[in-house]
Amino acid sequence: MKLYISPRAPNPRRVQMFIAEKGIAGIAEVVVEIGKDEHRSSDFRAKSPLAKVPVLELDDGRMLGETRAICSYLEGLYPEPNLMGETFEERAFIEMTDRRMEFYLFGSIANCIRHTHPGLAPLEQPQFADFGRSQGEKVREVARWLDEELSRLPFVAGERFTIADITAFCAIEFARGLMKFRPGHEGLANLQNWRDRIAERASARV
C-alpha cells in the first residue's frame, strides 16, 4: 500500500500517527507538495478527485480517501491495538468524541488558519478574515469544554487512548504552529497536561 501525504498537513499526520500506534510496517509514503500545487495536478486528481490528502492506495489499485475512512480500513486489517472501540457501544461513543474533535475543534482551527493566515492565502481564495477570527473564538469555546472534560478523564474519549486523542492532538498541534494557541497560556491546564502526555508517545514524533 501507499499513503499519499503532504509535509506539515494535519490530516495526513493523523493517519501517520494512527499507523505508528498500530505498529504497521510496509506502507510506503509518497509526498505530495501542496505548496507547489502538486495536489491539483491531473495525475493526483486521478487518485483524489477533490485534490485532498491523505489518500491510501490499496494493493488492488483502489484509492481510499478521507482520514477517518483510511483509519477504519486499517483498523479492520490490524485490529490490535484497538483504537476505535471493541464493542458496538464503545465504538459509538468513541466515534461521537472523534467527530466532535474533528468537526468542532479541528474544523474550526482549520477555518481560522485558512482565513486569517497570510501564508494560506494561495490555498484559500477569497479569505474572509472576520469569519476566520470568529472561528478562532469557537476553537477556544471547544477547548474550554475539552479542558473541563479532561479534569475527570485521562483521555479524550474516556479511560484509554483512542483515535479521538489522535484527532484532538493533531488539531492542537496545528493550532500551536499557525494560531500560536497554547492551552496552558490560556488557563487550560488540563488540556495542556493532556497534550504534553500525548506528545511523549512515540507516535507523536512521526
Side-chain angles (χ1 to χ4, degrees), residues 164-194:
D165 292 284
I166 293 175
T167 302
F169 178 77
C170 291
I172 293 295
E173 293 302 280
F174 191 41
R176 275 169 53 87
L178 296 181
M179 281 181 65
K180 307 303 180 188
F181 175 72
R182 305 288 197 279
H185 294 176
E186 306 202 17
L188 305 176
N190 300 313
L191 183 56
Q192 185 66 56
N193 291 338
W194 166 87

Side-chain angles (χ1 to χ4, degrees), residues 10-29:
N11 280 317
R13 187 182 184 189
R14 290 165 62 192
V15 177
Q16 290 172 295
M17 195 169 171
F18 191 88
I19 289 170
E21 286 285 340
K22 289 280 188 184
I24 302 170
I27 299 179
E29 291 186 350

Side-chain angles (χ1 to χ4, degrees), residues 10-11 14 67-68 83 92-111 135 138-150 152-158 160-175 181 183 190-191 194-195 198:
N11 280 317
R14 290 165 62 192
T67 298
R68 193 59 158 71
L83 296 175
F93 278 90
I94 290 172
E95 181 171 354
M96 173 188 73
T97 308
D98 190 40
R99 294 295 188 179
R100 286 173 173 171
M101 297 302 102
E102 183 173 37
F103 295 154
Y104 311 128
L105 182 65
F106 203 116
S108 294
I109 288 168
N111 282 331
Q135 290 293 291
K138 291 184 183 301
V139 168
R140 286 165 172 84
E141 288 177 10
V142 176
R144 287 191 291 272
W145 164 77
L146 184 55
D147 181 75
E148 185 175 343
E149 291 288 291
L150 290 167
R152 60 184 182 81
L153 296 172
F155 295 99
V156 169
R160 69 182 183 93
F161 181 91
T162 69
I163 188 173
D165 292 284
I166 293 175
T167 302
F169 178 77
C170 291
I172 293 295
E173 293 302 280
F174 191 41
F181 175 72
N190 300 313
L191 183 56
W194 166 87
R195 179 266 163 201
I198 302 302

